[in-house]
Amino acid sequence: MNSVQRFDVRLPAEMAEELEQKVQSGEYDSVQDALIEGARALLQRDADIDRWLREEVVAGHAEYLSDPSSSIPSEGVLGRIKARRQARATR
């Protein structure tokens, strides 16, 4: 991080207290470090969602468009989910 930008951040009291507790416990060196880690996590989550949409959702939709007969009706999906849950419950 060669250059930095300063922000004035106002947090709800409960959130500020939790961050202070994380600093006090030694989990972070400062509130700034905790906020930087939170921003990194947010950006990574957004990147992961974007990748999932591009690689899996778009690909799945393209597969469906190329052969709609291979799709599963929503009732079939619900049935599969219920069967998996039941199988896990009986293990």
Side-chain angles (χ1 to χ4, degrees):
M1 210 179 329
N2 294 338
S3 66
V4 296
Q5 183 169 340
R6 186 176 185 93
F7 288 94
D8 178 23
V9 178
R10 288 171 174 43
L11 300 172
E14 304 81 35
M15 189 179 291
E17 288 173 16
E18 288 186 42
L19 288 173
E20 288 289 350
Q21 288 175 1
K22 289 184 175 294
V23 172
Q24 295 297 322
S25 73
E27 189 174 344
Y28 293 96
D29 291 334
S30 66
V31 169
Q32 176 179 318
D33 288 346
L35 291 172
I36 289 170
E37 180 66 28
R40 280 190 187 118
L42 172 66
L43 295 172
Q44 183 62 55
R45 184 202 68 187
D46 287 352
D48 291 344
I49 290 170
D50 186 57
R51 181 205 51 78
W52 172 73
L53 287 169
R54 280 185 283 104
E55 294 177 8
E56 296 182 35
V57 174
V58 171
H61 184 64
E63 183 180 330
Y64 164 76
L65 290 177
S66 70
D67 183 11
S69 68
S70 67
S71 67
I72 302 166
S74 59
E75 297 81 18
V77 172
L78 184 58
R80 286 181 178 195
I81 291 170
K82 287 180 179 180
R84 283 185 195 161
R85 278 191 176 165
Q86 190 166 11
R88 286 182 188 154
T90 59
R91 286 185 196 169

